Amino acid sequence: MDDFTKPAVDCFVESMYSGEVDKLEKGIFEEVNKMAHVFDVSWLTKRCIKFYKTNVLQFENNSYNEILFACEIASRAHSILKQSYYVRLFVRNIASREISKTIFLQRYMADFAELSKRQIDMSLVVAGNDSNIVISSLITHVAKTHKCKKLDKNSLYLLQSINVQEFRQNFPVDYNATVNFLAEVADVSESSEVKGIVKKFAETSCGNASSSSSTDAVKDGEMDCDEEIETIIVCDETDFEENAEVGSQTDCNEVEHGWTQPVYSKEYFFLDGESVQLITTANVINGYISL
């Protein structure tokens, strides 16, 4: 128990005696959830999931920091505790609230070199079928940071983790432009690893197998995870009401407000005052190479 803060331990111990989680707060939520997982307290695990849904995912100000907080909790729960249902709840929630994943991810991935593998995996899951969002972030990073002359470890990890076949099918123009861009980088690189990964990425156009990563477990297990959530959380029929009918929504279908209905190259302001400018993969690449 030395790995946990006193407030978290107090909350956990009191809940063991009372069967309630009156002291559970956002600041200690992850620790309490981890203790429930480590000590296999199933009823507390259920309460933690419900707390995440009813407290953490209820963005009072719809601010970036609120969404980032919920995103990181979900990502760590999946990476450390193998609890993929937090990721599913997060992705469903931002879709049901019509929060633009394009705007969120451009900011989340802005400091690309500092992203952990866990955060790159989470970015791929949040992007879903819109994998061009993460590719745009990669290209911007390689062009601005490395002047199109090298691919760092995060760039290589993303290229190996992304579902290349899916990216090519959904965004053929962006895929071809990306292949051309990466080919130019590989030409000036002395790394055999870079050349090999770029070659594999490009060979997907010939019908070769696509890349895969730990994120596939979240995607492929969607139905199992949905059933698991329904089993874990004993709730009334309205418990998932705000997540109902959330399919593969895209930004073009979203309702216009601060987070939605993005128009590329237009500047958008978050409700906490910060801004971001949207760009497409093709826009990015056009600035660096001749297509």
mmCIF file of all heavy atoms in Angstrom, residues 142 147-151 176-190 194-195 198 285 288-291:
data_model
loop_
_atom_site.group_PDB
_atom_site.id
_atom_site.type_symbol
_atom_site.label_atom_id
_atom_site.label_comp_id
_atom_site.label_asym_id
_atom_site.label_seq_id
_atom_site.Cartn_x
_atom_site.Cartn_y
_atom_site.Cartn_z
ATOM 1 N N VAL A 142 7.836 15.177 -38.570
ATOM 2 C CA VAL A 142 9.038 14.820 -39.327
ATOM 3 C C VAL A 142 9.541 16.010 -40.139
ATOM 4 O O VAL A 142 10.747 16.271 -40.213
ATOM 5 C CB VAL A 142 8.754 13.621 -40.260
ATOM 6 C CG1 VAL A 142 9.936 13.365 -41.200
ATOM 7 C CG2 VAL A 142 8.461 12.376 -39.441
ATOM 8 N N LYS A 147 13.302 18.126 -40.521
ATOM 9 C CA LYS A 147 13.504 18.673 -41.868
ATOM 10 C C LYS A 147 13.441 17.596 -42.946
ATOM 11 O O LYS A 147 14.187 17.615 -43.931
ATOM 12 C CB LYS A 147 14.871 19.401 -41.947
ATOM 13 C CG LYS A 147 15.109 20.406 -40.839
ATOM 14 C CD LYS A 147 14.058 21.493 -40.801
ATOM 15 C CE LYS A 147 14.334 22.484 -39.679
ATOM 16 N NZ LYS A 147 13.245 23.493 -39.538
ATOM 17 N N CYS A 148 12.556 16.636 -42.742
ATOM 18 C CA CYS A 148 12.300 15.559 -43.709
ATOM 19 C C CYS A 148 13.519 14.666 -43.954
ATOM 20 O O CYS A 148 13.632 14.024 -45.002
ATOM 21 C CB CYS A 148 11.823 16.125 -45.058
ATOM 22 S SG CYS A 148 10.376 17.182 -44.940
ATOM 23 N N LYS A 149 14.417 14.600 -42.947
ATOM 24 C CA LYS A 149 15.649 13.844 -43.154
ATOM 25 C C LYS A 149 15.752 12.583 -42.298
ATOM 26 O O LYS A 149 16.673 11.789 -42.496
ATOM 27 C CB LYS A 149 16.855 14.741 -42.895
ATOM 28 C CG LYS A 149 16.995 15.872 -43.912
ATOM 29 C CD LYS A 149 18.230 16.710 -43.640
ATOM 30 C CE LYS A 149 18.368 17.823 -44.675
ATOM 31 N NZ LYS A 149 19.572 18.663 -44.426
ATOM 32 N N LYS A 150 14.834 12.403 -41.336
ATOM 33 C CA LYS A 150 14.917 11.205 -40.496
ATOM 34 C C LYS A 150 13.559 10.889 -39.887
ATOM 35 O O LYS A 150 12.677 11.742 -39.810
ATOM 36 C CB LYS A 150 15.963 11.385 -39.393
ATOM 37 C CG LYS A 150 15.626 12.471 -38.391
ATOM 38 C CD LYS A 150 16.640 12.523 -37.249
ATOM 39 C CE LYS A 150 16.518 11.331 -36.340
ATOM 40 N NZ LYS A 150 17.353 11.452 -35.115
ATOM 41 N N LEU A 151 13.433 9.649 -39.473
ATOM 42 C CA LEU A 151 12.256 9.206 -38.748
ATOM 43 C C LEU A 151 12.728 8.764 -37.366
ATOM 44 O O LEU A 151 13.561 7.867 -37.253
ATOM 45 C CB LEU A 151 11.564 8.037 -39.468
ATOM 46 C CG LEU A 151 10.963 8.328 -40.846
ATOM 47 C CD1 LEU A 151 10.440 7.033 -41.473
ATOM 48 C CD2 LEU A 151 9.834 9.340 -40.740
ATOM 49 N N ASN A 176 -1.108 7.606 -50.847
ATOM 50 C CA ASN A 176 -0.101 7.731 -51.904
ATOM 51 C C ASN A 176 0.843 8.905 -51.635
ATOM 52 O O ASN A 176 2.053 8.806 -51.858
ATOM 53 C CB ASN A 176 -0.778 7.907 -53.265
ATOM 54 C CG ASN A 176 -1.479 6.639 -53.721
ATOM 55 O OD1 ASN A 176 -1.064 5.536 -53.375
ATOM 56 N ND2 ASN A 176 -2.563 6.785 -54.488
ATOM 57 N N ALA A 177 0.270 10.003 -51.152
ATOM 58 C CA ALA A 177 1.099 11.169 -50.827
ATOM 59 C C ALA A 177 2.054 10.842 -49.683
ATOM 60 O O ALA A 177 3.219 11.259 -49.690
ATOM 61 C CB ALA A 177 0.211 12.359 -50.463
ATOM 62 N N THR A 178 1.564 10.087 -48.712
ATOM 63 C CA THR A 178 2.395 9.707 -47.565
ATOM 64 C C THR A 178 3.529 8.788 -47.996
ATOM 65 O O THR A 178 4.671 8.925 -47.528
ATOM 66 C CB THR A 178 1.541 9.012 -46.482
ATOM 67 O OG1 THR A 178 0.488 9.895 -46.072
ATOM 68 C CG2 THR A 178 2.386 8.655 -45.270
ATOM 69 N N VAL A 179 3.235 7.850 -48.892
ATOM 70 C CA VAL A 179 4.272 6.950 -49.406
ATOM 71 C C VAL A 179 5.370 7.756 -50.094
ATOM 72 O O VAL A 179 6.573 7.514 -49.889
ATOM 73 C CB VAL A 179 3.666 5.918 -50.386
ATOM 74 C CG1 VAL A 179 4.780 5.181 -51.149
ATOM 75 C CG2 VAL A 179 2.807 4.915 -49.624
ATOM 76 N N ASN A 180 4.983 8.734 -50.907
ATOM 77 C CA ASN A 180 5.965 9.574 -51.595
ATOM 78 C C ASN A 180 6.815 10.360 -50.600
ATOM 79 O O ASN A 180 8.039 10.490 -50.748
ATOM 80 C CB ASN A 180 5.261 10.542 -52.548
ATOM 81 C CG ASN A 180 4.616 9.834 -53.727
ATOM 82 O OD1 ASN A 180 5.017 8.724 -54.085
ATOM 83 N ND2 ASN A 180 3.618 10.461 -54.326
ATOM 84 N N PHE A 181 6.141 10.887 -49.587
ATOM 85 C CA PHE A 181 6.842 11.663 -48.560
ATOM 86 C C PHE A 181 7.850 10.790 -47.821
ATOM 87 O O PHE A 181 9.016 11.159 -47.650
ATOM 88 C CB PHE A 181 5.822 12.242 -47.573
ATOM 89 C CG PHE A 181 6.430 12.967 -46.406
ATOM 90 C CD1 PHE A 181 6.819 14.288 -46.523
ATOM 91 C CD2 PHE A 181 6.619 12.326 -45.182
ATOM 92 C CE1 PHE A 181 7.384 14.970 -45.450
ATOM 93 C CE2 PHE A 181 7.175 12.982 -44.108
ATOM 94 C CZ PHE A 181 7.561 14.324 -44.244
ATOM 95 N N LEU A 182 7.417 9.614 -47.397
ATOM 96 C CA LEU A 182 8.297 8.710 -46.653
ATOM 97 C C LEU A 182 9.441 8.199 -47.521
ATOM 98 O O LEU A 182 10.563 7.983 -47.030
ATOM 99 C CB LEU A 182 7.488 7.532 -46.107
ATOM 100 C CG LEU A 182 6.447 7.867 -45.034
ATOM 101 C CD1 LEU A 182 5.639 6.612 -44.677
ATOM 102 C CD2 LEU A 182 7.121 8.431 -43.785
ATOM 103 N N ALA A 183 9.168 8.014 -48.802
ATOM 104 C CA ALA A 183 10.214 7.545 -49.715
ATOM 105 C C ALA A 183 11.346 8.561 -49.803
ATOM 106 O O ALA A 183 12.534 8.186 -49.843
ATOM 107 C CB ALA A 183 9.629 7.278 -51.095
ATOM 108 N N GLU A 184 10.990 9.847 -49.820
ATOM 109 C CA GLU A 184 12.022 10.883 -49.871
ATOM 110 C C GLU A 184 12.841 10.915 -48.585
ATOM 111 O O GLU A 184 14.051 11.144 -48.608
ATOM 112 C CB GLU A 184 11.378 12.246 -50.134
ATOM 113 C CG GLU A 184 10.768 12.373 -51.528
ATOM 114 C CD GLU A 184 10.611 13.824 -51.967
ATOM 115 O OE1 GLU A 184 11.037 14.717 -51.195
ATOM 116 O OE2 GLU A 184 10.087 14.060 -53.057
ATOM 117 N N VAL A 185 12.158 10.689 -47.456
ATOM 118 C CA VAL A 185 12.875 10.644 -46.180
ATOM 119 C C VAL A 185 13.810 9.445 -46.151
ATOM 120 O O VAL A 185 14.973 9.550 -45.732
ATOM 121 C CB VAL A 185 11.885 10.575 -45.003
ATOM 122 C CG1 VAL A 185 12.645 10.439 -43.677
ATOM 123 C CG2 VAL A 185 10.991 11.808 -44.956
ATOM 124 N N ALA A 186 13.317 8.286 -46.599
ATOM 125 C CA ALA A 186 14.122 7.064 -46.590
ATOM 126 C C ALA A 186 15.333 7.184 -47.508
ATOM 127 O O ALA A 186 16.402 6.632 -47.212
ATOM 128 C CB ALA A 186 13.257 5.873 -46.999
ATOM 129 N N ASP A 187 15.188 7.908 -48.616
ATOM 130 C CA ASP A 187 16.287 8.065 -49.576
ATOM 131 C C ASP A 187 17.502 8.753 -48.958
ATOM 132 O O ASP A 187 18.650 8.440 -49.305
ATOM 133 C CB ASP A 187 15.815 8.856 -50.804
ATOM 134 C CG ASP A 187 14.981 7.996 -51.750
ATOM 135 O OD1 ASP A 187 15.013 6.759 -51.603
ATOM 136 O OD2 ASP A 187 14.282 8.571 -52.602
ATOM 137 N N VAL A 188 17.233 9.697 -48.049
ATOM 138 C CA VAL A 188 18.353 10.439 -47.448
ATOM 139 C C VAL A 188 18.766 9.856 -46.093
ATOM 140 O O VAL A 188 19.712 10.326 -45.476
ATOM 141 C CB VAL A 188 17.997 11.935 -47.283
ATOM 142 C CG1 VAL A 188 17.722 12.567 -48.634
ATOM 143 C CG2 VAL A 188 16.804 12.114 -46.358
ATOM 144 N N SER A 189 18.054 8.826 -45.649
ATOM 145 C CA SER A 189 18.372 8.210 -44.365
ATOM 146 C C SER A 189 19.418 7.115 -44.543
ATOM 147 O O SER A 189 19.427 6.397 -45.543
ATOM 148 C CB SER A 189 17.107 7.598 -43.740
ATOM 149 O OG SER A 189 17.424 6.881 -42.567
ATOM 150 N N GLU A 190 20.291 6.997 -43.570
ATOM 151 C CA GLU A 190 21.307 5.949 -43.595
ATOM 152 C C GLU A 190 20.889 4.735 -42.760
ATOM 153 O O GLU A 190 21.637 3.753 -42.661
ATOM 154 C CB GLU A 190 22.637 6.495 -43.065
ATOM 155 C CG GLU A 190 23.207 7.621 -43.930
ATOM 156 C CD GLU A 190 24.517 8.152 -43.374
ATOM 157 O OE1 GLU A 190 24.924 7.677 -42.277
ATOM 158 O OE2 GLU A 190 25.132 9.011 -44.016
ATOM 159 N N VAL A 194 14.850 2.310 -40.929
ATOM 160 C CA VAL A 194 13.942 3.279 -41.552
ATOM 161 C C VAL A 194 13.566 2.803 -42.951
ATOM 162 O O VAL A 194 12.388 2.798 -43.322
ATOM 163 C CB VAL A 194 14.590 4.679 -41.619
ATOM 164 C CG1 VAL A 194 13.774 5.602 -42.531
ATOM 165 C CG2 VAL A 194 14.701 5.275 -40.225
ATOM 166 N N LYS A 195 14.540 2.417 -43.733
ATOM 167 C CA LYS A 195 14.282 1.974 -45.105
ATOM 168 C C LYS A 195 13.364 0.755 -45.118
ATOM 169 O O LYS A 195 12.457 0.644 -45.955
ATOM 170 C CB LYS A 195 15.601 1.652 -45.813
ATOM 171 C CG LYS A 195 16.490 2.873 -46.040
ATOM 172 C CD LYS A 195 17.784 2.482 -46.751
ATOM 173 C CE LYS A 195 18.720 3.671 -46.895
ATOM 174 N NZ LYS A 195 18.164 4.748 -47.745
ATOM 175 N N VAL A 198 9.693 1.817 -44.038
ATOM 176 C CA VAL A 198 9.057 2.583 -45.118
ATOM 177 C C VAL A 198 8.701 1.660 -46.277
ATOM 178 O O VAL A 198 7.623 1.777 -46.883
ATOM 179 C CB VAL A 198 9.985 3.721 -45.597
ATOM 180 C CG1 VAL A 198 9.449 4.350 -46.883
ATOM 181 C CG2 VAL A 198 10.119 4.783 -44.510
ATOM 182 N N ILE A 285 1.483 17.509 -46.588
ATOM 183 C CA ILE A 285 2.492 17.004 -47.493
ATOM 184 C C ILE A 285 2.765 17.987 -48.630
ATOM 185 O O ILE A 285 3.904 18.159 -49.071
ATOM 186 C CB ILE A 285 2.047 15.635 -48.077
ATOM 187 C CG1 ILE A 285 1.930 14.629 -46.926
ATOM 188 C CG2 ILE A 285 3.047 15.133 -49.100
ATOM 189 C CD1 ILE A 285 1.363 13.299 -47.335
ATOM 190 N N TYR A 288 5.664 20.233 -48.256
ATOM 191 C CA TYR A 288 7.002 19.718 -48.138
ATOM 192 C C TYR A 288 7.532 19.010 -49.391
ATOM 193 O O TYR A 288 8.739 18.969 -49.610
ATOM 194 C CB TYR A 288 7.106 18.769 -46.951
ATOM 195 C CG TYR A 288 6.610 19.390 -45.663
ATOM 196 C CD1 TYR A 288 5.527 18.860 -44.978
ATOM 197 C CD2 TYR A 288 7.226 20.547 -45.161
ATOM 198 C CE1 TYR A 288 5.067 19.458 -43.806
ATOM 199 C CE2 TYR A 288 6.755 21.131 -43.996
ATOM 200 C CZ TYR A 288 5.689 20.592 -43.313
ATOM 201 O OH TYR A 288 5.236 21.163 -42.170
ATOM 202 N N ILE A 289 6.628 18.407 -50.179
ATOM 203 C CA ILE A 289 7.102 17.716 -51.380
ATOM 204 C C ILE A 289 6.170 18.002 -52.545
ATOM 205 O O ILE A 289 5.051 18.476 -52.376
ATOM 206 C CB ILE A 289 7.178 16.197 -51.155
ATOM 207 C CG1 ILE A 289 5.764 15.614 -50.953
ATOM 208 C CG2 ILE A 289 8.059 15.823 -50.002
ATOM 209 C CD1 ILE A 289 5.753 14.086 -50.893
ATOM 210 N N SER A 290 6.622 17.702 -53.737
ATOM 211 C CA SER A 290 5.778 17.847 -54.933
ATOM 212 C C SER A 290 5.101 16.537 -55.210
ATOM 213 O O SER A 290 5.761 15.518 -55.421
ATOM 214 C CB SER A 290 6.644 18.249 -56.139
ATOM 215 O OG SER A 290 7.288 19.486 -55.901
ATOM 216 N N LEU A 291 3.746 16.556 -55.206
ATOM 217 C CA LEU A 291 3.010 15.306 -55.427
ATOM 218 C C LEU A 291 2.859 15.040 -56.911
ATOM 219 O O LEU A 291 2.759 15.944 -57.705
ATOM 220 C CB LEU A 291 1.643 15.423 -54.752
ATOM 221 C CG LEU A 291 1.690 15.711 -53.250
ATOM 222 C CD1 LEU A 291 0.278 15.771 -52.690
ATOM 223 C CD2 LEU A 291 2.477 14.630 -52.528
#
